[in-house]
Each structure stands twice: as C-alpha cells, then as structure tokens.
RNA sequence: GGACGAUUAGCUCAGUUGGUUAGAGCGUGCGAUUCACAUUCGCAAGGCCACUGGUUCGAAUCCAGUAUCGUCCACCA
C-alpha cells in the first residue's frame, strides 16, 4: 500500500496566524499544506459503524444544533448579482427565518423501541435534517407517553408475578410508586435507543405526557371544556372490562371469534314472540321486545305484556317497532336489555323504555335486580341455570351452535361486559360558541375537508371522514390509577356524606356545588368548608395525547404573543401549527383526529399542516413481527450488527406512505455494503486527488465532465423535488443508484484511465468534478445515512468550528 | 355487513399522478478481478403489468365490471 498518510492523529488542528492564513508548525507535507484533507488511516479499513456512530452522535449533541435557538446562520453559495463581471460565487450568510417543526409521536414507556419506532424516527429525522440543511429553523421535539392502561397493566402483571399481589393489595400510593419507577427506567432505555437511531431532536425540550407542564395543560383543558359545557357526566353504556375493573374505549376492544350457543325461546307460555339469545342470563334484565315495523310481528307493536315469573323475576315487556331489527335474522325479534347492550340501549332511547334494570354488576356477577335466586352468582353459572329453567318450563325452542365475535379487552383479555355507568364524556355534537358555533365533530371534519390539513396518502382522508361520521361522544374517564387524575372534587356533604362516584346519587340538600372542577388540588369545599374528595378516576390517555402538539410548545403557560423571538417561552408562537405529523396509520383515529379536535377547539388552529402516515413494518415474508413467531428484528441489534445507517436506508427505500413494508436482514446487509461503498468512493476520490482542493467557482471542465455535471445536476434537482413531495423512498433510491452505479461504476472507473494518461487539464477537470460530486453526494445522502456521511465529511474537511459539521451545511438543490 | 386498498420478474417491491424499448434490490446462470471495495465489476436469463370490456393517436397508469388477497370500521339479537 503506497498511500501517504499525512496525519494519523485527529488532535492537531492547523493553527491560524493573525491574518487568518494557516500557520503550519511542522512535519506536514509542504506542497499540500493548504489542503486540510488528510488521508486518514481509518480509510485503510472498511467502514466501522460501531466505532463511529456513537461518537458522531455525541459530536452533534455537543454542538447544540439540535436546538433551533442555537442553530448557526445558513451558509449559501450565491452568484453575485450586482457586482463585477466576475461570476465567481461568494459565500453569504442567511439567518434562518422560516421555522419547521415536528413534534415526535411519543413512544410508550412500556418497553423498548421496535422497528415501527425506528421507521418513524428515520422518516422524521430525514425531514428534519433536510429542512435544517435547507436553512429552516428546525425543531424536532421529543417525548414519551405514559400510556396509562398499557403501563399500569404491565406493572400489575410484573408485581403479581413477583409478589403475588394485585394493585388493591398495594394501595394507590404504593402502586403508583412502582409504576413511576418502571416508567422512569423504561423512559431512560427508550431515550438512549432514540439516540442510537441518530435522531436529531432537541432534548432540551423533551416532554412527557404525565409531567408537570403537561398535567397543567390537561387540567386547564378539562376545565375549559367543562366550563363550555363540552364535558359532562352521564350514565352510559360503557365497555366494562371485569378483569381490569375499568372502562375501555371502543378502540381498545379486540374481537375474538368464538363458538357460542344461540338459544331460541319464549319469555313465557303466553308470550307470542320467540326470541333468540346467546346470553339468556341477560334476559333477566329485559324491558321489551323490538320487531321490525313491517315484519311478521307487526300486529303486536305497542302492546305490553306482563311476565309473572321469568326464572325468578317478573318482567314487563313492551313490543316496539324499530328499523334496527333485521326481519330475516333469527326470529325477527330482539329481546331488549338496555342496561347491557349498546344497541338495545339506543333502541330503548328511541322508544322511551326504562334503562335502569341492571342485572349484572362490575365483578361480572349478577345483581339484586336479577332476583334472589341468582344474586351474586357468576354470569356463566346463571346462563346455565336460566337455560335449565327454560327447558324445565318447556320454553326453549331451539339450541344451535354459532360462531360469534366476542368483544375482549385488548390489554387484559377480559370479556367486555357492557354496563351503564356514570362516566365523563366529551360532547362532540355541541356547538362551541368560541369557534363560530361549530361542533367538535365539525372542527375535525373541516380541518381536513378544507385542505388545511393534508393527509398522505390522500385516500386516508376518506377513512378519516367515515370515522368522524360515526363518532359518538367520547368517554374519557378510566377506572385506573396511573394517568392524569380527573380534576374534579366532590363535597362529601353534598352527597350526604357518602361518596359514590359512579352511581347516580340523588342530591342531598346542600348548597354546595357538586362536582367542583379545579385545576389546583383542593382539600376543603370552597362553599361549606367541608372535606372534599377527588374523583378516583383518571383520564383516557388520548386526552393528554390530544394536546401534544401545543402542550409541548408551552400551552397554556405561554401566550401566543411573541412570534419571531427565540426561546422555549415563545415556542407556541414560533412553531404552532407544526408542519408535519408523521405517524402510523393505525392511530389515525385514536390520536390524529383527537389532536385536530383539541387544537381546533383550544387554539382555533390546526395542529399540523401535513400528516404523513407510514405503514406497518413486517418481516421479509410480509408477516407481522411478533414475539410468538420470533420473527422480530430489533433496531438496536441492527445498529450493532449492520450500523444504524444501513437500517435506516433499508427502512426507507421502496417504502411508500400508507403501505406496509417488509424488511429482512438481507435487505439491511445490502445497505451496510452501501455505506462501505460510499466509504471507498470517498477513499478513492480523496487519495487520487491529493494536492487538489475543491474550488468553489471552478468552471474549466472538460466537455466530458460538463456532461457529467449536467447529469448530476439533473439527479440532484430531481431528488430535491422528491424531498419536497415527501417521496423519500424515491430520493433515497436515486441517490443510492447514482452513487453506486454512476459515480463508482462509471465515473471512477473512467477516471483511473484519465489519471494514468490524461492531459493535465483533463486531470484537473476530473479531480474537481470528483471533489464537487463527493461534496454534494455527502450532503444529499446525509439526511438518510447521517453517520457515515458525517464521518467522511469530518475526515475530509477537518472543520475547526462546529459550524463546519455536515449536519448544518447547505443542501445541494442541484 | 360497510369502507378502503392491493394484484407488475423466482422473491420483496418501485413505477413521481396517460407518452418511446416497464425498472430496482435480493436470488439465479456465465465470465472477469484482488489495481478504492471483509470483495467488487461486466454480461445474461426471466414480465399477456390478475382477468374482461371501455375512453384515447397512445393505457401498468383513467373508467366500469369480475376474481383473489389484505386492512380498517361496525357487529346481529
């Protein structure tokens, strides 16, 4: 190996004398002393991501440039317009005037980073780095989510496994301590992993959905909505999870297909209409029978029947006609159990049937209303009992096995028991005076319909509208302990001394206002001075997530008054609405829509301009990654084995928005080779152009090189267009292809001959072309593979100032 | 049941919104090479762009229908 190694240590930066020219102390080859480039011994070995990435990340972090307030001016090469005939470029410094902001979808503090997170981080980092290089004041605000139910369930499981105790054994305070300890540990892991991914986010602004500032935001929002009459307490059929002892949202239900027996029977010998049910035990709570208005049972509509004894209880059944009943299905009639079925409850509403006949309790056991015979017994047991009774009475007409979808809780697996409960709701259909009389539903719809928010890919807009059409009031209270406690207090005196939060209790005579909504903690009733007790429930985690774009930017503490001034206290003015929300399509409804709601309601503006939805990351064969299949790929393992750059590139190339993507080790290995290829391209160019410095105004290109230059311009212009249009998958692939198959395979191969036997001008031209191309390729690839490009840049340019880092150089628009 | 999407090389997928000969990666076959490359390079094979019809000078791309697969939503007593 004949390569000259100028320097082997990275310590010595050339010194400057007072006139700003370089003063070379000693031992550096004189002819090339103006060339800061060195051929580093590192280039003698293959690229080593493990030894590089951590060090480079620290370099970036230390620079402070992740923080938009500390970003340097952007340096731009511009042609002089008014000056002399000399068309050489000069360097101009521009302030960063436009802002670009992404608020990171906060990973749950329940575990470790997975491939989906890696994809999210990569896409966002690409956008952020690109915009930073385009001269924007870029803020990428990181954070984590307390993920109430998920985290609590996780800790409950752990505690039970280790100590055999449940949360009630520990008590609220002690249990929360455990959860917080777990969340803290999990948080630290996640943050370190986000850093491994190369994410250039501003850690000084890091947020947590359950920290003090966010809690203030949540409390403020709750009070505002309550005062506006948008939050109300009401008795509704909720999805009760008897196993988790909590209410869960529709979105947290998973349906499992199971076999069940459908029983067809009559309530009594004299009752004319047979009905069918897979849950005869609930029939103890029936208040009527619904039939189709034009069906075969039409003649009974409006009649009321009294059943003296239905398995131990009397029933009063009114026959009503309702369109919701399918005349072809089953017997063409539905027994109505308003307290234990969503649809029955709605039918009962339409026909003013009583809804208070609750026969099943929170523990999944029968209640008093089910009669002395069944009171306190388990549901399954009672089902058998009722069927037996029906058989004995000769009322059972048919038993058939059917498959049905059973609603179960995603987290606990418990079978959902619809129960009426007193819960807190957000009214989505009430006009909001402050917002021109629009309802929350309309706010959500119009933000997208008016194109103020653009969703990528576009077809998800249809799904979004469809979801909004079917939206019901949002139940926001959860009977769990970990989360934002509902900022509501009850004066005990107002309830006659006994607090019964979930039951409708008739107000005892009292002047006290109940409930009392307060952002501050209170212990005494502001009216009578008696003791108050806080609502034991916590808020749905999406309530706090909904505020994420502005609770992270300072709301409600900092008003929107000082746009243009740097500093976190002006973030709301400077960065909201944010520019892009990048997330998985599976949480379009849970989260995206709710952010639109909250932001539109509280600030009167959209939370973001563009929604970029990515797909699910699957394995090489298109299967979902799962623990049971053992086909998961851990992004941290990938970083160790192939380097983060390789993993990032593999996730991006060919990954269109909204579409699932497959990833395999083979694909990642391919891009590890690419990082090494780039390394070798740099090595070749830097070694074969020794003595030559990149001349920024160079124009004496040979005709062949002029052509190559045109081609390069074309590619980079295309890539820039792709970046602007969020076609990162195309941009990445084009750059990959250009670097490998044009620059390396063609240009460099030709150059070898030129350097061997070409004319001096030809050699000079080619050397300049190669240096310029390397410079631009490194810049353009930096958002995608930031580590290897920065490392090459550092070895080549040896910047003395942190402003010389590739991360803050200008993007090559052509 | 409703909505949305997909169907392109052996495999996994692009195809920038109608324009010449449909591309990439991996894989396969043949041949070079240690001269930047824990290799890399060159060459090659391989496609009725699901099917049927329509619009158009021109369709993988737009429209209608059919088939298969997938995702989401709702959930029926």
């Amino acid at each position: 190996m004949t390569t000259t190694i100028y320097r082997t240590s990275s310590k010595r930066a050339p010194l400057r004398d007072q006139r700003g020219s370089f003063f070379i102390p000693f031992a550096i080859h004189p002819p090339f002393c103006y060339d800061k480039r060195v051929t580093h011994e590192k280039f003698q070995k293959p690229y080593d991501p493990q030894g590089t990435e951590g060090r480079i990340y620290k370099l970036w972090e230390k620079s402070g440039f992740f923080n938009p307030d500390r970003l340097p001016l952007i340096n731009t090469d511009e042609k002089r317009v008014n000056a002399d005939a000399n068309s050489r470029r000069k360097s101009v410094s521009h302030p960063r005037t436009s802002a670009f902001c992404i608020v990171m979808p906060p990973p749950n503090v329940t575990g470790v980073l997975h491939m989906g997170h890696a994809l999210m981080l990569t896409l966002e980092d690409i956008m952020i780095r690109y915009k930073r290089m385009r001269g924007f004041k870029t803020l990428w605000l990181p954070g984590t989510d307390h993920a109430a139910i998920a985290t609590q369930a996780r800790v409950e499981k752990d505690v039970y496994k280790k100590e055999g105790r449940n949360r009630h054994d520990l008590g609220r305070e002690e249990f929360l301590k455990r959860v917080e300890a777990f969340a803290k540990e999990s948080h630290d892991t996640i943050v370190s992993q986000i850093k491994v991914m190369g994410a250039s986010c501003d850690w000084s602004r890091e947020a947590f959905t359950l920290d003090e500032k966010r809690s203030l935001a949540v409390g403020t929002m709750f009070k505002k909505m309550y005062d506006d009459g948008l939050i109300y307490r009401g008795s509704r059929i909720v999805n009760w999870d008897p196993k988790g002892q909590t209410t869960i949202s529709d979105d947290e239900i998973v349906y499992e297909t199971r076999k069940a027996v459908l029983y067809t029977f009559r309530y009594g010998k004299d009752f004319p209409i047979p009905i069918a049910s897979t849950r005869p035990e609930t029939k103890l709570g029936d208040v009527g029978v619904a039939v189709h208005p034009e069906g075969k049972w039409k003649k009974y509509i409006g009649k009321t029947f009294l059943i003296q004894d239905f398995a131990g209880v009397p029933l009063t059944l009114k026959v009503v006609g309702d369109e919701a009943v399918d005349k072809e299905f089953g017997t063409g009639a539905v027994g109505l159990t308003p307290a234990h079925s969503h649809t029955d409850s709605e039918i009962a509403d339409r026909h003013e049937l009583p809804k208070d006949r609750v026969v099943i309790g929170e523990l999944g056991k029968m209640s008093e209303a089910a009669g002395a015979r069944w009171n306190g017994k388990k549901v399954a047991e009672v089902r058998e009992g009722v069927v037996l009774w029906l058989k004995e009475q000769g009322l059972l007409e048919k038993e058939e096995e059917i498959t049905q979808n059973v609603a179960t809780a995603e987290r606990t697996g418990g079978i959902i028991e619809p129960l009426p409960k007193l819960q807190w709701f957000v009214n989505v259909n009430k006009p909001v005076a402050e917002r021109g009389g629009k309802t929350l539903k309309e706010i959500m719809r119009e933000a997208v319909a008016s194109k103020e928010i653009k969703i990528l890919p576009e077809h998800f807009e249809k799904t979004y509208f469809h979801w909004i059409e079917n939206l019901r009031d949002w139940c926001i209270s959860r009977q769990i302990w970990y989360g934002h406690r509902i900022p509501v207090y009850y004066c005990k005196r107002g309830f006659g001394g006994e607090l019964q939060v979930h039951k409708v209790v008739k107000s005892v005579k009292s002047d006290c206002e109940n409930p009392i909504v307060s952002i501050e903690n209170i212990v005494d009733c502001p009216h009578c001075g008696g003791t108050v007790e806080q609502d034991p429930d916590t808020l749905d985690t999406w309530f706090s997530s909904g505020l994420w774009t502005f609770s992270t930017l300072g709301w409600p503490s900092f008003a929107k008054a000082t746009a243009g001034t740097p500093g976190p206290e002006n973030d709301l003015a400077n960065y909201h609405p944010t520019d892009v929300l990048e997330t998985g399509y599976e949480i379009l409804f849970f989260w995206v829509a709710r952010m639109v709601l909250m932001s539109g309601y509280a600030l009167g503006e959209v939370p973001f301009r563009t929604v970029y939805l990515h797909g699910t990351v699957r394995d090489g064969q298109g299967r979902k990654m799962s623990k049971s299949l053992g086909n998961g790929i851990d992004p941290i393992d990938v970083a160790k084995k192939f380097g983060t750059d390789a993993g990032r590139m593999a996730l991006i190339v060919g990954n269109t928005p909204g579409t699932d993507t497959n990833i395999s080790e083979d694909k990642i290995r391919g891009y590890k080779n690419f990082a090494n290829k780039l390394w070798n391209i740099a090595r070749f160019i830097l070694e074969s152009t020794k003595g030559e410095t990149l001349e920024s105004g160079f124009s004496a290109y040979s005709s062949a090189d002029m052509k190559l230059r045109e081609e390069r311009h074309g590619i980079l212009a295309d890539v820039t267009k792709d970046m602007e249009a969020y076609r990162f998958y195309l941009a990445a692939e084009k750059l990959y292809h250009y670097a490998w198959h044009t620059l390396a395979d063609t240009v460099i191969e030709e150059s070898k001959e030129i350097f061997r036997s070409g004319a001096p001008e030809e050699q000079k031209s080619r050397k300049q072309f190669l240096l310029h191309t390397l410079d631009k390729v490194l810049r353009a690839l930096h958002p995608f593979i930031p580590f290897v490009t920065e490392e090459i840049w550092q070895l080549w340019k040896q910047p003395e100032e942190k402003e010389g880092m590739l991360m803050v150089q200008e993007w090559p628009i052509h």
Side-chain angles (χ1 to χ4, degrees):
Chain A
M1 196 58 67
T2 57
T3 316
T4 311
I5 298 172
Y6 290 92
R7 298 163 179 159
T8 53
S9 152
S10 57
K11 270 191 189 157
R12 34 46 300 141
L15 306 175
R16 280 173 191 273
D17 69 13
Q18 304 209 308
R19 291 183 307 279
S21 61
F22 291 115
F23 162 64
I24 308 302
F26 48 79
I28 291 174
H29 293 226
F32 308 128
C33 58
Y34 57 84
D35 187 357
K36 291 157 75 189
R37 164 174 22 121
V38 292
T39 306
H40 200 283
E41 65 176 354
K42 275 188 181 162
F43 273 128
Q44 302 309 316
K45 295 186 195 141
Y47 174 59
D48 166 33
Q50 289 73 28
T52 305
E53 294 181 346
R55 176 168 45 80
I56 292 286
Y57 193 87
K58 284 206 185 84
L59 190 73
W60 291 329
E61 233 186 334
K62 216 179 123 202
S63 77
F65 295 155
F66 290 170
N67 183 337
D69 299 326
R70 298 173 64 183
L71 269 175
L73 299 176
I74 184 80
N75 283 309
T76 306
D77 276 347
E78 276 193 348
K79 275 190 182 162
R80 251 186 249 178
V81 202
N82 334 325
D84 43 274
N86 184 354
S87 72
R88 292 175 74 92
R89 289 150 193 261
K90 69 164 185 176
S91 190
V92 181
S93 290
H94 289 297
R96 296 169 182 267
T97 46
S98 321
F100 181 84
C101 177
I102 295 178
V103 178
M104 184 188 292
N108 292 354
V109 289
T110 37
V112 293
L113 230 53
H114 57 245
M115 248 1 200
H117 292 124
L119 176 60
M120 162 195 98
L121 293 168
T122 302
L123 280 165
E124 290 173 26
D125 198 41
I126 287 171
M127 295 185 223
I128 287 287
R129 285 181 188 271
Y130 169 71
K131 289 290 183 179
R132 190 183 288 123
M133 293 176 84
R134 290 302 307 260
F136 285 77
K137 211 173 144 110
T138 42
L139 171 60
W140 185 13
L141 203 154
T144 45
D145 189 349
H146 69 285
I149 292 182
T151 311
Q152 168 159 333
R154 170 68 202 271
V155 175
E156 272 188 294
K157 212 167 146 189
D158 284 358
V159 170
Y160 192 78
K161 224 167 155 186
K162 277 186 215 143
E163 306 170 31
R165 299 202 281 176
N166 67 27
R167 73 179 204 254
H168 299 285
D169 298 333
L170 290 175
R172 187 164 188 145
E173 204 174 322
E174 174 60 24
F175 179 73
L176 283 179
K177 269 190 201 157
R178 308 281 181 104
V179 181
E180 275 153 22
F182 169 83
K184 171 84 177 69
E185 195 185 322
S186 181
H187 162 270
D188 294 350
T189 308
I190 282 163
V191 166
S192 71
Q193 292 180 328
I194 292 174
K195 292 182 177 182
V196 169
M197 293 308 299
S200 60
C201 44
D202 181 7
W203 293 106
S204 73
R205 284 174 164 87
E206 189 192 345
F208 178 52
T209 51
L210 196 56
D211 63 19
E212 212 174 293
K213 288 177 184 169
R214 265 45 68 176
S215 297
L216 175 65
V218 165
T220 307
M221 181 63 90
F222 188 97
K223 179 138 175 55
K224 181 173 165 60
M225 290 183 121
Y226 181 81
D227 291 344
D228 283 348
L230 292 171
I231 284 183
Y232 66 94
R233 214 156 68 115
S235 177
R236 283 297 202 79
I237 301 272
V238 297
N239 305 306
W240 180 258
D241 171 12
K243 210 165 166 184
Q245 284 292 296
T246 183
T247 313
I248 64 167
S249 71
D250 291 350
D251 304 314
E252 289 156 339
I253 291 177
V254 284
Y255 287 91
E256 278 176 27
T257 306
R258 292 193 189 168
K259 289 229 182 301
V261 181
L262 181 66
Y263 302 95
T264 305
F265 61 91
R266 285 171 201 267
Y267 291 102
K269 288 220 160 53
D270 302 326
F271 193 77
I273 311 171
I275 58 139
S277 175
T278 53
R279 301 196 56 191
E281 76 280 10
T282 64
K283 301 292 110 182
L284 295 163
D286 280 13
V287 298
V289 170
V291 300
H292 193 274
E294 299 304 324
K296 57 185 164 182
W297 309 112
K298 191 179 167 187
K299 59 181 170 183
Y300 296 107
I301 293 174
K303 295 202 165 117
T304 300
F305 295 82
L306 291 175
I307 310 294
Q308 294 299 333
D309 175 24
F310 178 76
V313 291
L315 297 179
T316 306
L317 302 169
K318 187 177 179 190
V319 180
V320 297
D322 198 282
E323 298 279 349
V325 181
D326 182 348
K327 31 183 178 183
E328 308 302 326
F329 189 90
T331 62
V334 184
L336 295 175
T337 324
H340 301 290
S341 151
H342 284 105
T343 40
D344 290 5
S345 173
E346 283 167 17
I347 294 174
D349 280 340
R350 286 196 283 271
H351 303 281
E352 292 174 355
L353 294 171
K355 292 171 64 183
D356 54 358
R357 203 179 161 84
V358 181
V359 293
I360 298 171
E362 287 177 15
L363 296 167
K365 292 179 179 166
M366 304 309 283
S367 68
E368 273 178 50
R373 185 168 173 189
W374 312 113
N375 186 13
K377 291 200 166 124
K378 281 189 182 165
V379 165
E381 199 183 322
V382 178
R383 181 175 310 166
E384 282 174 28
V386 172
V387 170
L388 196 67
W389 180 87
L390 287 168
K391 275 183 189 162
E392 284 167 6
Q393 301 295 314
L395 295 171
L396 189 64
E397 298 187 351
K398 201 160 54 167
E399 281 179 77
E400 48 192 322
E401 193 161 273
I402 58 162
T403 51
Q404 66 167 11
N405 286 332
V406 178
T408 63
E410 193 179 13
R411 299 292 172 192
T412 65
I415 295 178
I416 299 302
E417 192 69 66
L419 286 180
K421 287 199 140 300
L422 203 52
Q423 300 282 341
W424 291 97
F425 290 87
V426 171
N427 188 335
V428 294
N429 291 309
K430 184 182 162 102
V432 183
E434 204 184 341
R435 298 288 162 243
K438 276 188 262 179
T439 65
L440 295 179
K441 221 176 189 176
E442 283 161 358
I443 287 172
M444 283 190 273
R445 184 177 33 239
E446 278 174 29
V448 174
S450 68
K451 302 279 170 197
E452 241 192 301
I453 295 177
K454 210 176 131 195
I455 300 181
L456 286 176
E458 216 169 308
H459 70 252
F460 274 100
E461 290 180 2
K462 288 184 196 164
T463 323
Y464 177 86
F465 291 133
H466 188 254
W467 179 78
I468 288 178
E469 293 313 316
N470 298 314
L471 187 65
R472 289 185 288 192
D473 283 0
W474 172 19
C475 177
I476 51 170
S477 45
R478 295 294 127 93
Q479 288 67 50
I480 59 171
W481 291 346
Y482 187 56
H484 293 279
R485 191 140 172 198
I486 290 181
V488 167
Y489 301 80
Y490 305 92
C491 173
K492 287 187 174 176
R493 188 183 291 174
F495 284 115
E498 194 201 354
L499 178 63
Q500 297 203 40
V501 173
H502 295 125
K503 286 185 192 149
V504 189
V505 176
K506 288 209 177 72
S507 192
V508 177
K509 71 147 180 79
S510 161
D511 298 333
C512 300
E513 170 198 3
N514 251 330
I516 308 152
V517 176
S518 167
I519 302 170
E520 308 286 317
N521 277 327
I522 54 171
V523 282
D524 299 325
C525 175
H527 307 283
C528 69
T531 41
V532 296
E533 199 163 309
Q534 187 170 5
D535 195 303
D537 290 355
T538 50
L539 285 167
D540 179 12
T541 177
W542 299 106
F543 190 94
S544 61
S545 312
L547 317 181
W548 192 237
T549 60
F550 53 99
S551 68
T552 51
L553 291 174
W555 189 89
S557 300
F558 302 113
K560 296 200 63 156
T562 37
T565 320
E569 63 282 3
N570 300 305
D571 281 352
L572 195 60
N574 287 332
Y575 300 107
H576 206 273
T578 66
D579 291 275
V580 178
L581 175 82
E582 194 287 323
T583 190
Y585 60 72
E586 69 277 4
I587 54 174
L588 179 64
F589 310 134
F590 290 88
W591 192 38
V592 179
R594 267 146 202 176
M595 285 196 282
V596 178
L597 181 160
M598 291 295 196
S599 183
Y601 163 68
L603 303 176
E605 62 187 30
V606 294
F608 29 70
R609 305 277 182 207
T610 302
V611 178
Y612 183 107
L613 296 169
H614 65 245
T616 309
V617 183
R618 298 166 175 277
D619 75 357
Q621 287 137 55
R623 300 173 305 180
K624 252 193 169 149
M625 290 187 183
S626 71
K627 275 186 195 150
S628 53
L629 275 174
N631 61 345
I633 299 179
D634 175 359
I636 303 306
D637 283 352
V638 169
K640 279 193 197 134
K641 212 163 157 189
F642 305 102
T644 294
D645 285 334
R648 287 169 61 119
M649 200 68 179
L651 280 168
I652 293 307
V653 173
N655 184 355
T656 49
T659 312
D660 291 353
T661 183
N662 298 354
I663 194 159
S664 60
E665 287 214 345
D666 278 345
K667 191 173 178 189
I668 302 168
R669 190 173 293 113
Y671 292 105
K672 179 193 159 83
N673 291 347
F674 177 60
N676 195 49
K677 187 77 185 179
L678 194 63
W679 185 254
N680 279 292
I681 288 170
R683 173 178 168 187
F684 176 85
I685 293 179
L686 295 179
E687 278 179 5
S688 59
T689 60
K690 276 185 304 208
E692 194 74 21
T693 325
L694 185 146
E695 294 173 21
S696 75
F698 186 82
S699 58
Y701 286 112
S702 68
S703 61
D705 289 345
M706 281 304 279
K707 248 178 140 174
L708 290 175
R709 211 164 144 253
E710 287 294 299
E711 185 189 5
R712 189 190 68 205
H713 277 202
I715 298 280
L716 288 174
D718 262 12
V719 165
T720 303
K721 263 189 233 160
D722 289 335
M723 296 301 283
E724 291 294 328
Y726 301 95
R727 292 189 296 259
F728 309 116
Y729 54 103
L730 278 184
E733 196 174 353
K734 279 175 189 162
L735 289 168
Y736 170 89
H737 205 257
Y738 179 75
W740 198 315
H741 299 298
T742 302
L743 180 58
D745 292 348
T746 311
V747 183
I748 286 183
E749 287 306 316
E750 273 175 26
S751 304
K752 289 176 185 170
E753 184 54 35
I754 294 174
F755 294 151
R756 209 172 296 137
S757 55
E761 317 79 72
E762 206 186 351
Q763 293 202 9
K764 166 96 179 168
S765 161
R766 180 53 59 100
K767 284 179 183 175
Q768 283 299 324
F769 176 77
L770 287 177
L771 286 171
H772 274 96
T773 305
L774 178 62
D775 180 278
K776 296 204 174 205
V777 163
L778 288 175
R779 289 167 192 255
L781 277 169
H782 182 256
F784 301 95
I785 44 174
F787 290 110
V788 65
T789 48
E790 182 76 76
E791 172 73 348
I792 294 170
W793 186 269
Q794 293 285 329
L795 291 172
W796 174 16
K797 311 262 181 172
Q798 301 259 318
E800 297 150 73
E801 313 281 339
K802 59 186 183 180
E803 284 77 10
M805 285 194 315
L806 178 55
M807 185 179 91
V808 287
Q809 298 311 302
E810 197 195 9
W811 169 269
I813 49 172
H814 55 70

